[in-house]
């Protein structure tokens, strides 16, 4: 029951992999974002069996083409996910084993692998050797996990605790703040400086006022690569300030953190290694398929103190090893480490470093191309693979319409954001398969479509 003969399984596996390789080979000819369609008809659950090939074709042909192709070389919207095929194989291998990475007993191999991969990430970020961490589904859950640990360590009274972010800090922080039971009114959203960075002086002033009002300043969040512009908050200054004011220093490196592997990124991200907690998203700029995020906490034992759990039914799995169920919200959890391990092992760290550097250089190429043409105004310089711009004399409605036309045209997918109260267009160029010509053609078509 619930099985197929081995020969049929082998044939189906080959069929699926062939179709996937066809997809990757043909990606360039597809639109990066499919036109938005209404709801689709999903057939009711059949009582009897049906042909798996037909069902697989339905997924490939009808279901999965609807939406974005975040690995398309001209997907420049929001933050893409330029995945790699080797990691897809690792996910298949892990799922094929139904791997359990929640306890040492349940998955000693997977646990050892995760600890090793988390330690790679720690090392790449320059955090101290005693840092501990866990892989999670992505940046949002990573943020929730990190702030839960921070709250456990430092927030005496969640009603009175205050936090300091800036207008371009990702909404995942406010969401975690709310979910964890902090008072939403006590998250201070400070005005950024002209380079879209958090201003330490603004934090000083707000902390002072909050203390005077009897509140309990608790958290400062530095962003290492803001989603709108790529801007990096002054991490060393924030780390100094957090130490001085006894605040928890959380860094959101979900998208930008991996740039520390490059010389240029390391210079920009100086201070990231001083975080009390740091979130990274390998499913962004480490080229992994969804879902893999990482939380790193530089306080030994704090994750276990926050997420430890006991149950008589777990007695037989208690031992002296790390139990990953105690480092995050999930008990039953699959292995997210396999894909990062297999892809890094296959291609080598230098290939990742070069791929990140390529993304940084592409945004710089976009900026140079835009700056050459007086039709465009560059609204924020190329930073960590993101550049923003708009037609110099356009209204917000015209900029919106230009980007919408480009997406509908199906050649490339830029996106928009708001900067200084204006709508601007935005290219996030982190895909290693994107060429300079892709960038130039996208900018040409934006001006003319
Ligand atoms: C800076 C930053 N933080 C957090 C997140 C949220 O991450 P996720 O979408 O993986 O939950 C994102 C997503 O783009 C991001 O860019």
């Amino acid at each position: 029951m619930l099985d197929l003969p081995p020969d049929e399984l082998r044939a189906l596996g080959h069929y699926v992999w062939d179709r996937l390789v066809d997809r990757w080979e043909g990606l360039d000819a597809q639109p990066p974002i499919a036109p938005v369609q209404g709801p689709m008809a999903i057939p009711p659950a059949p009582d009897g069996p049906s042909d798996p090939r037909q069902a697989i074709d339905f997924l490939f042909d009808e279901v999965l083409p609807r939406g974005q192709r975040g690995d398309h070389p001209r997907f420049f919207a929001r933050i893409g996910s330029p995945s790699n095929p080797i990691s897809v194989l690792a996910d298949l291998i892990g799922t094929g084993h139904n791997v359990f990475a929640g306890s040492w007993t349940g998955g000693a191999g997977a646990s050892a692998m995760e600890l090793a991969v988390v330690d790679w990430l720690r090392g790449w970020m320059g955090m101290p050797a005693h840092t501990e961490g866990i892989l999670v589904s992505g940046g949002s859950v990573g943020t929730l996990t990190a702030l839960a640990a921070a709250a456990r360590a430092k927030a005496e009274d969640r009603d009175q605790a205050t936090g300091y972010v800036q207008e371009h800090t990702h909404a995942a922080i406010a969401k975690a703040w709310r979910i964890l039971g902090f008072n939403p009114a006590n998250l201070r959203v400070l005005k950024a400086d002209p380079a879209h960075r958090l201003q330490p002086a603004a934090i000083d002033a707000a902390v002072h006022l909050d203390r005077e009002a009897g509140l309990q300043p608790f958290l400062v969040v530095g962003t290492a690569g803001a989603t709108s512009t790529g801007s990096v908050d002054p991490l060393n200054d924030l780390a100094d300030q957090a130490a001085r004011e006894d605040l928890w220093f959380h860094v959101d490196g979900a998208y930008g953190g991996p740039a520390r592997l490059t010389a240029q990124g390391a210079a920009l991200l100086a201070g990231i290694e001083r975080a009390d907690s740091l979130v990274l998203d390998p499913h962004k700029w480490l080229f992994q398929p969804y879902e893999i995020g990482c939380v790193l906490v530089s306080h030994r034992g704090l994750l276990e103190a926050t997420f430890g759990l006991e149950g008589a039914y777990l007695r037989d799995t208690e031992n002296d090893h790390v139990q990953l169920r105690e480092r995050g919200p999930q008990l039953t959890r699959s292995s997210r480490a396999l894909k990062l391990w297999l892809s890094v092992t296959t291609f080598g760290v230098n290939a990742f470093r070069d791929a990140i550097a390529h993304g940084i250089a592409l945004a710089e190429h976009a900026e140079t191309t835009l700056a050459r043409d007086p039709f465009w105004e560059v609204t924020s310089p190329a930073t960590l693979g993101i550049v923003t711009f708009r037609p110099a004399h356009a209204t917000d409605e015209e900029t919106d319409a230009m980007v919408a036309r480009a997406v509908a045209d199906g050649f490339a997918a830029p996106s928009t954001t708001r900067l200084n109260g204006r709508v601007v267009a935005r290219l996030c160029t982190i895909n290693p398969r994107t060429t300079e010509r892709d960038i130039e053609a996208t900018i040409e078509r934006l001006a003319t479509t």
Side-chain angles (χ1 to χ4, degrees):
M1 253 189 288
L2 298 181
D3 224 335
L4 290 172
D7 285 350
E8 208 175 322
L9 283 178
R10 281 183 219 282
L12 275 179
H14 289 303
Y15 181 66
V16 165
W17 191 249
D18 280 345
R19 289 221 56 179
L20 278 176
V21 176
D22 287 348
R23 175 190 181 275
W24 295 321
E25 277 194 326
L27 205 49
D28 200 272
Q30 300 292 325
I33 302 181
V36 177
Q37 293 157 314
M40 64 181 300
I42 307 285
D47 284 331
S50 40
D51 178 5
R53 265 185 204 242
Q54 264 181 25
I56 288 166
D57 285 343
F58 182 67
L59 294 179
F60 272 94
D61 298 333
E62 304 295 336
V63 180
L64 297 173
R66 291 173 180 241
Q68 69 182 39
R69 296 179 173 86
D71 49 355
H72 190 290
R74 288 180 303 282
F75 182 92
F76 300 119
R78 298 168 285 281
I79 311 283
S81 180
S83 170
N84 80 89
I86 291 297
S87 292
V88 177
L89 283 175
D91 268 350
L92 177 63
I93 295 168
T95 307
H97 285 74
N98 211 7
V99 57
F100 184 92
S103 70
W104 198 267
T105 307
S111 299
M113 176 67 82
E114 181 156 343
L115 294 176
V117 161
V118 164
D119 205 55
W120 288 359
L121 292 165
R122 175 204 66 72
W124 295 342
M125 294 305 108
M127 288 181 80
H130 61 259
T131 301
E132 294 174 338
I134 186 163
L135 300 178
V136 294
S137 54
S140 302
V141 172
T143 303
L144 188 60
T145 307
L147 296 197
R152 161 110 198 167
K154 242 187 167 56
E156 282 158 28
D157 176 346
R158 291 191 195 198
D159 249 1
Q160 301 297 308
T162 57
Y164 305 88
V165 300
Q166 58 124 320
E167 53 195 302
H168 298 294
T169 304
H170 196 278
I173 303 288
K175 187 172 176 177
W177 182 266
R178 200 175 65 235
I179 295 172
L180 290 168
F182 289 101
N183 182 348
N186 287 349
L187 186 64
R188 310 274 174 251
V189 182
L190 305 170
K191 191 163 167 39
D193 72 9
H196 315 293
R197 296 154 29 112
L198 189 49
Q199 311 187 69
I203 302 176
D204 268 338
V207 165
H208 182 73
L209 280 179
D210 285 336
R211 289 224 165 94
E212 272 192 350
L215 296 168
Q216 296 168 6
F218 145 66
L219 168 77
V220 59
V221 177
T223 299
T227 317
S228 279
T229 61
S231 65
V232 179
D233 288 334
L235 302 177
N236 265 320
D237 292 348
L238 297 180
D240 289 342
Q241 194 167 28
R244 211 170 48 238
E245 298 291 343
D246 194 24
L247 304 173
W248 184 272
F249 181 37
H250 175 73
V251 176
D252 181 355
Y255 128 73
R260 193 174 185 280
L261 278 173
T262 68
Q264 208 179 342
L268 260 176
L269 299 175
I272 195 171
E273 70 284 355
R274 297 173 64 192
D276 290 300
S277 56
L278 169 63
V279 162
L280 301 171
D281 245 356
H283 65 207
K284 297 185 167 74
W285 220 354
L286 281 172
F287 314 107
Q288 302 302 305
Y290 301 136
E291 302 176 347
I292 174 171
C294 179
V295 189
L296 295 167
V297 176
S298 63
H299 299 250
R300 184 175 280 154
L302 180 59
L303 285 170
E304 273 90 353
T306 310
F307 294 102
L309 82 167
E310 284 172 16
Y313 38 82
L314 295 174
R315 292 177 68 245
D316 311 325
T317 67
E318 277 159 18
N319 50 48
D320 290 339
H321 295 286
V322 173
Q323 312 295 350
L324 288 169
R325 66 184 178 222
E326 304 209 348
R327 287 199 175 176
Q330 286 178 274
L331 164 54
T332 297
R333 51 196 302 281
S334 179
S335 175
R336 300 184 169 98
L338 301 184
K339 54 187 162 194
L340 190 54
W341 180 83
L342 192 65
S343 52
V344 170
T345 301
T346 301
F347 299 118
V349 178
N350 284 341
F352 283 75
R353 197 188 314 277
D354 293 348
I356 295 168
H358 179 72
I360 294 176
L362 280 177
E364 288 167 354
H365 182 68
E367 181 185 346
T368 311
T369 308
L370 289 159
R372 248 190 247 124
D373 183 347
F375 176 78
W376 298 110
E377 177 193 342
V378 174
T379 47
S380 65
T383 312
L384 291 182
I386 295 179
V387 62
T388 73
F389 56 100
R390 63 189 190 90
H393 303 294
T395 62
D396 286 354
E397 291 71 24
E398 284 163 349
T399 305
D400 267 333
M402 174 190 76
V403 170
R405 272 197 309 275
V407 173
D409 167 64
F411 177 73
S415 64
T416 64
T417 188
R418 253 182 206 286
L419 276 190
N420 303 322
R422 299 299 307 268
V423 173
V424 298
R426 179 182 165 285
L427 298 178
C428 175
T429 61
I430 63 172
N431 191 327
R433 291 169 282 270
T434 306
T435 63
E436 288 194 347
R437 186 60 208 138
D438 283 323
I439 299 282
E440 291 155 11
T442 298
I443 293 171
E444 278 160 27
R445 287 172 80 127
L446 266 172
T448 53
T449 304

